Amino acid sequence: MSDRVREIAERLKTMREIAGLSVEELGERLTITTEAYAEMEAGEVDIPISVLCEAADIFGISVTELLTGDRAKLKMYSVVRKGRGIGVERTAGYSYSALAHGFADRKVEPLLVTIEPKSETAELHMNTHSGHEYHYCLEGEMRLYIGGHELTIREGDSVYFDSKYPHAMRALSDKPVKLIVIVIK
C-alpha cells in the first residue's frame, strides 16, 4: 500500500482509539466485517471513500481531517482550482479527488472520480454505505452496477441512488471515465 493510505489508516486508528471504540465496534457501526475494517486500519488495503465518510461522521470530524490530518476551516465558500483536489487512491483502477476539502461542516462530499479501464473479467468491488450518491459523467462510458441492476452511463448522463444498495463502476472502453460523484450523508 502507498504511504498515503498508511497515513490515512493511522489517523483512522487514532480516531477510533480516541472515541474509545474497539475494532469490532467500529466495524459494526460502519456495517463492514471486523476483518475488513482491521485490514483497512492496518493500511493493508485501500479504504473506500464511503468508509471514510461514515467514519468521519461517527467521529464528528470532516473527511478532510481523515485524509490530511488538518481541519477544514472555510465557512463562506471554498474554491478548489483545477488539479488541486486532495487525491485519494481507493482501489486499483479508481482515483478520487476531494473537491471541497477546505470547507468546514460539509453536508455532502463532492469528488472528481477517474475510472481506469480494466478487463471485463476483473473482479468488481461492490460498496454499500448509508446515504445517497449523485453521479454526473463528464467523459467516457461506464457500467454502473446498483443492487443487481446494470446501467450504461455516458458523457452527460447522471444518476442518483440510495447507496445502501451494493454498487460499483467499470469503464466500458479503453479510455478512462471521469465523473463528478457527490456523496450525500
Side-chain angles (χ1 to χ4, degrees):
M1 273 310 99
S2 72
D3 289 341
R4 184 148 175 79
V5 171
R6 285 189 197 93
E7 289 170 8
I8 294 167
E10 185 60 37
R11 281 190 284 279
L12 192 60
K13 178 181 179 182
T14 299
M15 290 308 301
R16 178 186 57 75
E17 290 172 345
I18 289 169
L21 297 170
S22 68
V23 169
E24 295 78 14
E25 290 169 324
L26 187 54
E28 270 182 38
R29 290 188 62 185
L30 293 169
T31 63
I32 57 177
T33 66
T34 299
E35 295 78 20
Y37 176 74
E39 288 178 331
M40 289 175 204
E41 187 178 280
E44 296 169 4
V45 297
D46 290 310
I47 306 167
I49 193 71
S50 57
V51 169
L52 294 174
C53 288
E54 284 188 299
D57 284 344
I58 290 167
F59 301 141
I61 63 173
S62 70
V63 174
T64 301
E65 288 177 81
L66 284 177
L67 292 175
T68 67
D70 294 326
R71 188 171 285 204
K73 296 173 180 71
L74 301 174
K75 299 278 188 178
M76 184 180 291
Y77 66 87
S78 172
V79 175
V80 176
R81 301 290 180 202
K82 182 178 180 178
R84 300 296 304 253
I86 294 177
V88 182
E89 294 302 322
R90 202 178 70 88
T91 55
Y94 291 91
S95 63
Y96 289 73
S97 182
L99 299 177
H101 53 84
F103 197 88
D105 304 321
R106 292 184 299 281
K107 306 291 186 233
V108 299
E109 193 64 46
L111 305 155
L112 175 61
V113 178
T114 303
I115 306 166
E116 296 297 334
K118 60 183 172 182
S119 159
E120 276 291 321
T121 59
E123 184 180 348
L124 279 176
H125 176 74
M126 303 296 277
N127 285 303
T128 61
H129 54 91
S130 63
H132 293 175
E133 289 188 27
Y134 173 78
H135 295 195
Y136 180 83
C137 186
L138 298 168
E139 295 175 13
E141 181 178 24
M142 69 176 198
R143 177 95 8 93
L144 177 61
Y145 303 86
I146 305 172
H149 298 274
E150 294 183 17
L151 307 168
T152 300
I153 305 296
R154 295 177 182 89
E155 185 175 319
D157 292 347
S158 66
V159 61
Y160 185 103
F161 61 94
D162 187 332
S163 36
K164 73 179 175 190
Y165 296 100
H167 55 280
M169 303 171 283
R170 181 188 307 275
L172 288 180
S173 72
D174 60 349
K175 296 179 182 171
V177 176
K178 289 193 181 213
L179 61 151
I180 297 293
V181 172
I182 299 174
V183 178
I184 304 159
K185 302 172 187 185

